[in-house]
Amino acid sequence: MIEIRITSHPTGTELRLTVHEAPAPRHEARDGDDHPSTSLDEGAGRRFTPEEARRSFARALDAFERAGRTIVGPKDFTDWCDRTGLSRPWVSARLKDAALRGRLEATGIPGRWRLCPRREG
């Protein structure tokens, strides 16, 4: 389970999003892997494969969208990073990838991206 907490400033309103993760099979890093170092369930020694990490990130973006968020950035993933072990630089790279795929667009503010509705089909 991944829980994302969002606090709206200056009102201080807190919104919690929970994304349930399926356990991943054990994956050993190989030369050339884009293998983020993360534990799925702390202490169990399991790791995300690169594809599992990207799917988890995509689900987190979907959760922000369902919650009505329109703007996101690396700082919004702090709790998610703490739980998954993925780094903010890794998240920044995935945000840029999502922008290249049309899932996000630049806002003109460094580190902030506008969520674009997911296209079906």
Side-chain angles (χ1 to χ4, degrees):
M1 174 180 72
I2 297 172
E3 182 177 283
I4 300 170
R5 293 182 190 175
I6 304 165
T7 302
S8 173
H9 295 284
T11 64
T13 303
E14 183 173 281
L15 172 66
R16 290 185 186 167
L17 305 171
T18 303
V19 179
H20 295 276
E21 296 288 334
R26 187 169 182 82
H27 175 79
E28 297 299 323
R30 292 180 287 273
D31 287 340
D33 267 358
D34 175 19
H35 193 282
S37 176
T38 181
S39 173
L40 276 178
D41 43 356
E42 275 98 26
R46 294 183 176 197
R47 294 180 178 270
F48 278 124
T49 65
E51 184 57 32
E52 289 166 338
R54 285 180 173 83
R55 281 194 308 261
S56 179
F57 177 77
R59 285 190 297 270
L61 283 178
D62 291 344
F64 279 124
E65 185 176 32
R66 282 191 307 274
R69 292 289 300 267
T70 58
I71 306 293
V72 296
K75 70 180 184 178
D76 299 307
F77 287 85
T78 301
D79 288 341
W80 184 82
C81 288
D82 289 346
R83 281 186 246 316
T84 63
L86 294 164
S87 69
R88 282 181 62 159
W90 186 89
V91 168
S92 292
R94 298 301 73 79
L95 289 167
K96 289 177 186 175
D97 291 345
L100 292 172
R101 289 190 318 276
R103 181 68 172 111
L104 300 172
E105 63 183 26
T107 62
I109 301 169
R112 306 304 288 161
W113 300 89
R114 184 178 324 283
L115 277 163
C116 299
R118 188 178 279 285
R119 296 181 190 130
E120 298 301 321

